[in-house]
Amino acid sequence: MKILMIDDDDELRILVGIHIRSAGYEMFQAVNGEDGKEKLKTLQPDLIILDMMMPVLDGIGFLRWLRQDAKLDIPVLAFTSMNKSETNIEIKGATGIVFKPVELDELVGEIRKILKE
C-alpha cells in the first residue's frame, strides 16, 4: 500500500515516514499542496496524509482541488493542529482526522482503519 504524506514540516515527515515504513507501507512525501498535485501525476496512493496548514497550497485548498477539480476518490487522513471546533467546518471531504501531536502508533491505527486492514 502506498501512502503520500503532504506536510511542510521536514522533521515530522521523516519521523512519520520511518514509522509508516516500519508498519509495512510505502511512503512518499510532498512539501505542500502544489507539490502533492505534482506527485499525483505519477503516483496513485492508497491514502493521503494531509497537513491542513501549509504555505503555497494548504490542505483545505488541496482537498477542494482533489475532490472538485481532479475528482479523485483517494482516502484522505487530515493531519492538523487546528482545534476540533475549527475542523468541523474546514475539513470537508476528508475520510478521517488526526490531531497533532499524535502518538505514531495511533496514526498507524487510523491508517489501518481507513485502509480496512
Side-chain angles (χ1 to χ4, degrees), residues 36-99:
K37 287 165 73 171
E38 283 298 311
K39 296 282 192 296
L40 288 178
K41 290 179 179 177
T42 57
L43 177 68
Q44 294 180 323
D46 298 288
L47 173 72
I48 296 172
I49 300 172
L50 180 63
D51 183 21
M52 290 292 108
M53 293 184 281
M54 299 177 284
V56 185
L57 177 60
D58 66 9
I60 295 162
F62 177 85
L63 194 51
R64 189 178 306 117
W65 168 83
L66 185 74
R67 299 297 189 228
Q68 294 174 4
D69 298 337
K71 300 202 183 316
L72 294 173
D73 196 28
I74 301 164
V76 174
L77 180 58
F79 196 43
T80 185
S81 55
M82 292 191 304
N83 68 47
K84 292 182 183 186
S85 64
E86 289 175 309
T87 59
N88 291 338
I89 299 164
E90 296 292 338
I91 306 177
K92 294 186 183 188
T95 312
I97 186 166
V98 172
F99 293 94

Side-chain angles (χ1 to χ4, degrees), residues 11-23:
E11 290 179 14
L12 183 61
R13 278 196 329 275
I14 292 167
L15 181 63
V16 169
I18 291 167
H19 202 73
I20 286 176
R21 283 186 191 95
S22 71

